[in-house]
Amino acid sequence: MVKLKMSVIRELSKLSECAMSKTFDEIAQKAEKILSEYSALTGRLEFSQPGDTWIARNIAIFSDQLRRLAKTARESNLLDAFEADAKPHPYDHKRILEATGWNDSSAPVLIKKWRRNPEEHPYTSVPDELRKEIFDYFFRHDVHGELENDDIMLLSRGINDPEYFRPPTIVNIALDVASKNGWFGYSDSLGHEDTREAIAALERVRRGQNSITAHNAAVVQGGTAGLHAVLSMLCRMDDKEGCVLAAPTYAPILDDVSHHFKPHILELSDDYEADFDKLREIVETENIAAVLISIPHNPNGFRNFDDHLDQLHEVCFKNGVFLICDEIIFDEQMSPAINPIDYPNLIVISSYSKSYSIAGLKLGHILARQDFLNDFYRHASTTYGSPPSFLYLTATCVASMERYARDGTDPNLPEVVTSQFSDPDLILEDFMLWRRLGAVYRDFQNLVVQACTEKLGHTGVEQVMGLDDPSSNIVLRVKGREPAYRTSMDIIAARNVSVMPIECFSPTHEWPRDLRVTIAVEPEELVLGYPQLIAGVDDIVAMETKAQWAHKDDLPWLEALGLTGKVKGINVWGRANRIQERLSQIFKFAGKSSVSESLRRVSTYMSLRQVWSSIKGEQRQALISDLTGRNDTDTPVKWSELIEYFLDRPGRLTDLPEMPDDIKLMLIRLSDDPKKIKENSPELQAVSLAERFQGISLSGQDLKIIRDNLRLFDREQDYDALVQSIEQLRAIEV
């Protein structure tokens, strides 16, 4: 089945090769054009001022990025990356699944139990108040804890790779000037007046509302801290006790809300759609202080209330409820429609982290009506004093440059900044080239995902969400209902690629198997890591699809042995890369002293081919000896799988000398590959069909075994032909 999948992939690749090569070539051409413009800009630098040196430094960095991007776009082969040998995590799979040796004593006991055995301790057994701990465990103890290594491909960051996506040069200049001038003192609790003026000027342009002034803006310490400040203020304003928000969502947001209000969860559908009528009902019937929405929604990037903004604000306004917009990134589709002049009950919390690659600076601003910010002044002064004055110049410059990029008017940068350059126009051109660099790379990363969808088929992926999201992430919906967290650990173990599972977003119930994937990573890492991720997902789903059928038919056998209760929650028919663990568990639970006896029993509901690839030496010989005895007619021996395993390796058929010739002949007949039969056993090729089956007594159980084996390889149609041949032989004998 794997070979068939690869052949289909190759055909898809051929069909789309021209269009894709042209599109990737356009990416390379755009990158090379920006590279040439950077080169021209370098020629204009006089290096008489420190700003020129900063531009030169960053041009060298950005030029290297552009060369790498162009090279990767021209030379990347996603099919080769998909077929490349997996590079597993240094830790063995069992250790990762069981978190063996993890220094996680700080985690709650229930979370540790869930992490190690989600089958026995399902997600729904974790109390609401502890679900944020799953998010913390993932980052603190797993991905950036015990599992961290030099080669791991981090597709779980949530932001642009900070080592590749550098901020614009204006940020370096602003921080340098602030440091040289010693701007480290206290300041106004809403932020420096010039900074707030620059923010207001930007917001007038990008939200199309000329009435916005500095009185509507306040500087805060990033999105998370800004939201916390707003929530803590609102909970002190009156006796309203509830806050509405949609879930699944970013776990720290839900946790923060729960510290200030009673969360009223608007459960999204499995497709992340919000029920506006349900939201209206909650606002109108409950004691609600605020409704919180994210733009775009995390993790899937949907704009759940895009068509209901007017209605949403109207119902909030009528009921004296604040509408809080956590603007993770300025969304060109939804953000321009919202402002505190048209929506007086609106509070926008805007972060600079993802837009300008400065997550570590913790910088952002609030946009709200003036009377709210007048009250907020006191709250800010009491709770944290003021934003860091060291960052005001950075916020001023970023807002001014963003406005310039949108309307082309003079950014009015402070003289303390323009004096850093031999020609102030240099920094304007540098900023515009930086924006174009980001746009080209966003096109590249989206194209990689689209190409993988078209070329690779995504046999294990049900849906890709958020590709049009302006943020750095997409969501893969994986087929099946296994826990997403366990799936993410499987992928780390098998491929050394980390992605963020849906359980880190605190869904209210068992959710489809969604994985959030950060695609804003270095180009080389993306074209290797993303296809490897897809390949890992495909392997998992293929194994589960095959094993689910085996589970259904083997359950009576398990019940007869009295093992149903003992194996419950072990998922012994699970993934191929857990076979050795499953074998050990079954040996233990079955209480068998004989390895061969246990292996024989395991083979009845686990792929014999998987078992064979998981054992060595004496265990293999014991398995051969047990199975070739053919004494237990109740045991459905899957010889066809083992035969195909050996037929894949020329000259290896003789490794099964003890197999009865009649079974060998019959199953080689079923292998449906005359070339391999001839290579492996020429004398069998000459045997006629009648001779192969003559003298073989096939009971109903034998036929069931053959049919079962054919089902495993999607060859059930061959069964009717086989039965017909057998009936003809029996008629001849009679």
Side-chain angles (χ1 to χ4, degrees):
M1 293 177 69
V2 174
K3 289 187 178 63
L4 177 64
K5 180 174 68 176
M6 289 303 176
S7 65
V8 172
I9 289 170
R10 291 184 186 282
E11 290 305 314
L12 288 170
S13 177
K14 291 176 184 177
L15 289 174
S16 55
E17 188 69 35
C18 294
M20 288 185 188
S21 296
K22 179 181 178 181
T23 308
F24 275 113
D25 190 58
E26 289 176 355
I27 295 290
Q29 290 177 12
K30 290 179 181 178
E32 289 163 351
K33 182 172 180 9
I34 298 173
L35 183 62
S36 67
E37 293 182 43
Y38 266 128
S39 179
L41 181 59
T42 303
R44 291 168 48 201
L45 298 175
E46 298 179 4
F47 298 99
S48 59
Q49 298 295 332
D52 291 26
T53 302
W54 271 114
I55 291 178
R57 289 176 182 174
N58 281 357
I59 285 178
I61 294 171
F62 297 147
S63 296
D64 177 65
Q65 293 174 359
L66 286 162
R67 292 187 192 96
R68 290 164 57 190
L69 178 58
K71 184 176 185 293
T72 305
R74 292 188 189 282
E75 299 178 2
S76 63
N77 189 322
L78 300 176
L79 187 60
D80 284 350
F82 185 83
E83 295 187 23
D85 291 338
K87 295 182 179 179
H89 192 277
Y91 291 169
D92 66 70
H93 190 247
K94 180 179 179 181
R95 181 179 180 186
I96 292 175
L97 290 185
E98 297 182 355
T100 305
W102 265 223
N103 182 19
D104 57 0
S105 59
S106 61
V109 173
L110 187 55
I111 297 300
K112 290 188 285 188
K113 288 182 177 179
W114 172 84
R115 162 64 176 83
R116 287 163 170 79
N117 195 339
E119 291 91 353
E120 185 174 334
H121 303 278
Y123 175 78
T124 51
S125 69
V126 179
D128 293 349
E129 63 271 15
L130 281 183
R131 288 180 179 171
K132 166 59 165 57
E133 297 282 355
I134 296 175
F135 175 96
D136 294 343
Y137 195 103
F138 178 78
F139 285 106
R140 183 179 184 183
H141 299 297
D142 279 333
V143 174
H144 296 293
E146 301 292 342
L147 296 176
E148 193 168 41
N149 65 88
D150 291 339
D151 297 322
I152 193 169
M153 289 179 278
L154 293 172
L155 305 188
S156 56
R157 288 186 178 95
I159 61 169
N160 297 342
D161 182 347
E163 295 184 8
Y164 183 82
F165 295 89
R166 303 293 182 93
T169 306
I170 191 67
V171 171
N172 301 108
I173 297 296
L175 293 173
D176 192 32
V177 170
S179 177
K180 289 178 179 177
N181 284 276
W183 292 340
F184 301 106
Y186 289 128
S187 68
D188 189 287
S189 294
L190 297 182
H192 196 281
E193 184 177 355
D194 290 347
T195 301
R196 294 165 61 201
E197 287 285 359
I199 291 170
L202 168 63
E203 296 293 28
R204 285 194 292 271
V205 170
R206 67 179 185 178
R207 299 187 195 270
Q209 177 48 265
N210 292 328
S211 297
I212 296 175
T213 71
H215 297 296
N216 299 117
V219 182
V220 291
Q221 300 173 57
T224 302
L227 176 60
H228 178 80
V230 168
L231 291 173
S232 61
M233 174 181 165
L234 290 180
C235 76
R236 296 169 58 184
M237 289 178 61
D238 55 38
D239 59 355
K240 292 185 176 181
E241 61 179 20
C243 178
V244 185
L245 72 164
T249 189
Y250 185 55
I253 288 180
L254 179 55
D255 193 50
D256 198 9
V257 168
S258 67
H259 278 77
H260 297 94
F261 294 100
K262 175 185 177 182
H264 289 262
I265 304 299
L266 180 67
E267 293 190 17
L268 299 177
S269 69
D270 285 358
D271 293 326
Y272 293 93
E273 295 294 336
D275 185 340
F276 176 74
D277 292 333
K278 179 63 176 176
L279 187 149
R280 181 203 301 271
E281 179 185 344
I282 296 173
V283 172
E284 291 178 343
T285 60
E286 302 290 342
N287 189 23
I288 302 299
V291 173
L292 171 61
I293 65 173
S294 296
I295 302 177
H297 188 76
N298 197 356
N300 65 308
F302 282 13
R303 304 167 179 90
N304 290 318
F305 299 101
D306 192 14
D307 297 329
H308 299 284
L309 275 175
D310 289 337
Q311 296 170 280
L312 180 58
H313 182 267
E314 181 182 357
V315 71
C316 289
F317 185 78
K318 285 182 178 179
N319 291 276
V321 173
F322 282 96
L323 175 60
I324 306 172
C325 289
D326 176 27
E327 197 172 69
I328 302 167
I329 191 169
F330 190 87
D331 185 298
E332 299 296 342
Q333 179 174 324
M334 191 170 176
S335 293
I338 54 177
N339 67 78
I341 306 302
D342 296 326
Y343 297 144
N345 275 38
L346 176 73
I347 304 168
V348 178
I349 303 166
S350 189
S351 171
Y352 302 177
S353 296
K354 293 179 174 63
S355 298
Y356 305 104
S357 299
I358 52 175
L361 292 185
K362 299 297 181 184
L363 190 58
H365 68 258
I366 292 175
L367 202 63
R369 68 192 192 206
Q370 183 175 349
D371 63 326
F372 175 85
L373 289 183
N374 288 340
D375 293 334
F376 187 77
Y377 180 97
R378 176 183 176 183
H379 180 74
S381 175
T382 300
T383 55
Y384 60 84
S386 67
S389 55
F390 177 72
L391 298 178
Y392 287 146
L393 186 60
T394 299
T396 300
C397 290
V398 165
S400 299
M401 295 299 284
E402 182 66 25
R403 177 178 58 78
Y404 163 75
R406 289 173 177 272
D407 68 359
T409 60
D410 187 350
N412 293 318
L413 292 171
E415 192 277 334
V416 71
V417 172
T418 57
S419 64
Q420 300 295 307
F421 305 97
S422 57
D423 179 355
D425 286 346
L426 294 173
I427 193 61
L428 305 183
E429 186 172 343
D430 175 85
F431 186 78
M432 297 304 292
L433 287 172
W434 176 84
R435 282 174 58 93
R436 287 170 57 193
L437 168 60
V440 170
Y441 192 74
R442 280 191 295 276
D443 290 344
F444 172 76
Q445 63 198 29
N446 287 343
L447 185 58
V448 168
V449 175
Q450 292 170 352
C452 282
T453 303
E454 295 169 12
K455 290 179 79 171
L456 306 182
H458 280 202
T459 59
V461 176
E462 184 176 311
Q463 188 178 359
V464 180
M465 292 174 274
L467 196 56
D468 297 327
D469 174 9
S471 75
S472 311
N473 310 294
I474 60 171
V475 170
L476 297 184
R477 173 154 293 175
V478 180
K479 295 177 181 177
R481 300 291 290 198
E482 288 279 328
Y485 202 106
R486 176 58 63 92
T487 301
S488 72
M489 294 298 105
D490 287 336
I491 293 169
I492 287 180
R495 303 279 173 168
N496 208 16
V497 176
S498 73
V499 292
M500 195 170 177
I502 190 63
E503 292 91 345
C504 290
F505 295 89
S506 301
T508 54
H509 55 277
E510 296 284 0
W511 198 260
R513 189 158 38 160
D514 288 353
L515 304 171
R516 195 191 72 177
V517 183
T518 302
I519 57 175
V521 296
E522 296 185 27
E524 300 91 342
E525 186 173 8
L526 182 62
V527 298
L528 174 62
Y530 189 76
Q532 279 286 297
L533 166 63
I534 298 303
V537 167
D538 285 356
D539 287 347
I540 290 170
V541 173
M543 186 56 58
E544 289 173 349
T545 301
K546 181 175 179 180
Q548 285 166 3
W549 177 85
H551 168 212
K552 179 181 66 177
D553 279 7
D554 291 327
L555 195 57
W557 180 86
L558 290 171
E559 290 174 347
L561 254 71
L563 291 177
T564 309
K566 293 181 179 179
V567 300
K568 184 178 181 181
I570 297 177
N571 193 18
V572 292
W573 38 82
R575 308 174 178 98
N577 51 11
R578 281 198 238 159
I579 295 300
Q580 192 61 56
E581 174 194 359
R582 302 306 185 216
L583 288 173
S584 299
Q585 289 174 325
I586 288 299
F587 297 159
K588 175 182 177 182
F589 284 115
K592 303 296 181 182
S593 58
S594 165
V595 172
S596 60
E597 172 72 5
S598 297
L599 282 171
R600 184 170 61 81
R601 294 193 181 280
V602 168
S603 71
T604 64
Y605 58 92
M606 185 180 292
S607 162
L608 187 57
R609 191 171 181 175
Q610 297 167 27
V611 173
W612 185 267
S613 64
S614 301
I615 61 176
K616 307 292 181 184
E618 293 181 358
Q619 288 186 333
R620 283 193 174 188
Q621 293 303 317
L623 181 60
I624 292 172
S625 176
D626 242 353
L627 295 177
T628 53
R630 303 179 66 206
N631 296 322
D632 188 351
T633 56
D634 294 329
T635 302
V637 177
K638 299 181 180 66
W639 277 112
S640 62
E641 291 189 13
L642 201 52
I643 285 294
E644 293 216 7
Y645 176 87
F646 282 103
L647 288 177
D648 282 343
R649 294 155 177 77
R652 295 287 299 280
L653 191 61
T654 55
D655 284 6
L656 289 178
E658 300 172 13
M659 181 193 295
D661 287 341
D662 55 354
I663 294 181
K664 185 185 298 184
L665 293 173
M666 179 174 64
L667 292 170
I668 289 180
R669 164 70 181 88
L670 297 179
S671 71
D672 201 27
D673 193 340
K675 181 179 178 182
K676 287 186 177 180
I677 294 173
K678 187 173 182 179
E679 290 174 351
N680 284 274
S681 194
E683 70 279 5
L684 297 178
Q685 182 68 19
V687 181
S688 68
L689 178 63
E691 288 174 327
R692 291 181 185 179
F693 288 98
Q694 192 160 4
I696 299 176
S697 175
L698 292 173
S699 65
Q701 177 66 21
D702 294 328
L703 294 177
K704 180 181 182 300
I705 294 169
I706 295 170
R707 181 184 63 208
D708 291 351
N709 290 323
L710 291 172
R711 280 180 178 174
L712 289 174
F713 290 94
D714 294 333
R715 298 245 308 278
E716 193 169 2
Q717 68 275 11
D718 292 346
Y719 174 69
D720 295 335
L722 175 62
V723 171
Q724 184 178 359
S725 298
I726 293 172
E727 293 302 322
Q728 291 173 353
L729 287 171
R730 287 176 174 168
I732 293 172
E733 290 176 359
V734 173

